[in-house]
Amino acid sequence: MFGKRNIDIDDELPGDKTNPEENPEMLPAEEEGEEVKDITEDDEPQDAAGKNSHSEAEKISELNDKYIRLHADFENFRRRTNKEKSELIMYGNKDLILKILPVYDDFERALELMEKADNKEAIVEGIKLIFNKFKGILQQAGLKEIDAKGKEFDPEIHDAITKIHASPDMKGKVVDSLEKGYTLNDKIIRHSKVVVGE
């Protein structure tokens, strides 16, 4: 009869090589040129990059649309402002002209009366009234006459036309005013043309 043999289950059976490291033949064969991937590494989803690029394109399109609208609004504002400036320059004196027109009407009536009237004193009086009316309108608009005669010569407000010999107390002063100067709201708009003593 056959003899009995005690076998430990931990003992390796003859010809049984289950450890891949000890038996390389059990490892799966690699094809030539094939790149082995680490099975523990998670692949990044490829559609995430596509979504990000799509989102960036939408943001760029939105910003471009806002820029175009802003540029259009600015152009409209610029055209409107230029139009208002042009109208202001063209019709800025409208109120002053409306105030002067009654004086113009008075002069027309005075000229008609001068042809028929024999009383020169009445004509002169009428002209003075019209002149004072006209002067008052200009003063209300901010016009003021520059007082020059007898004053010290000031090149800031006076324009010396010529010099003449004068008494010692008139040297360096305005002897005569050939053309009056004016200020408009304290700004010189016309210098006085004067004769200066020396």
Side-chain angles (χ1 to χ4, degrees):
M1 298 300 293
F2 298 100
K4 294 182 179 180
R5 180 185 175 188
N6 293 329
I7 300 174
D8 191 349
I9 61 173
D10 293 331
D11 292 342
E12 186 176 328
L13 295 176
D16 184 14
K17 296 182 180 181
T18 58
N19 191 347
E21 293 181 356
E22 296 179 358
N23 188 6
E25 294 179 357
M26 297 184 64
L27 292 173
E30 297 180 8
E31 295 183 6
E32 185 177 354
E34 183 179 0
E35 194 176 316
V36 179
K37 296 183 180 180
D38 188 355
I39 60 175
T40 62
E41 181 180 355
D42 295 334
D43 294 336
E44 293 184 0
Q46 296 181 359
D47 59 342
K51 289 181 180 179
N52 289 337
S53 62
H54 183 66
S55 177
E56 290 294 330
E58 287 181 349
K59 288 181 180 179
I60 293 173
S61 178
E62 183 179 354
L63 290 174
N64 187 51
D65 183 63
K66 287 182 178 179
Y67 169 76
I68 292 174
R69 291 177 182 273
L70 183 63
H71 181 70
D73 291 340
F74 176 74
E75 284 296 319
N76 292 334
F77 170 76
R78 187 177 62 83
R79 292 192 190 99
R80 184 170 61 252
T81 303
N82 289 338
K83 183 180 179 181
E84 290 175 355
K85 286 182 179 179
S86 298
E87 291 179 352
L88 181 62
I89 293 172
M90 188 177 297
Y91 303 108
N93 295 327
K94 175 184 173 183
D95 293 338
L96 180 60
I97 296 299
L98 288 174
K99 292 178 181 178
I100 292 176
L101 282 177
V103 179
Y104 181 83
D105 295 335
D106 289 344
F107 271 117
E108 281 190 331
R109 284 190 287 267
L111 290 173
E112 291 177 1
L113 292 174
M114 285 173 63
E115 294 177 357
K116 301 176 182 178
D118 296 330
N119 190 347
K120 292 183 179 181
E121 291 182 0
I123 295 174
V124 172
E125 188 65 26
I127 296 297
K128 286 182 178 179
L129 290 173
I130 296 173
F131 174 77
N132 290 331
K133 183 178 181 179
F134 180 62
K135 184 178 180 180
I137 292 172
L138 294 179
Q139 288 176 345
Q140 289 178 3
L143 189 71
K144 185 178 180 181
E145 181 181 328
I146 296 175
D147 190 14
K149 194 171 183 178
K151 303 293 183 179
E152 289 287 341
F153 175 74
D154 185 354
E156 294 293 330
I157 59 176
H158 302 142
D159 185 9
I161 302 300
T162 186
K163 293 182 179 181
I164 61 172
H165 293 287
S167 59
D169 60 325
M170 288 300 293
K171 286 184 179 181
K173 293 183 179 180
V174 177
V175 176
D176 193 13
S177 177
L178 303 179
E179 185 177 88
K180 293 180 179 179
Y182 294 93
T183 61
L184 181 62
N185 295 322
D186 298 327
K187 180 180 176 62
I188 298 173
I189 59 174
R190 191 173 82 177
H191 292 74
S192 300
K193 294 181 179 180
V194 299
V195 178
V196 182
E198 62 175 0

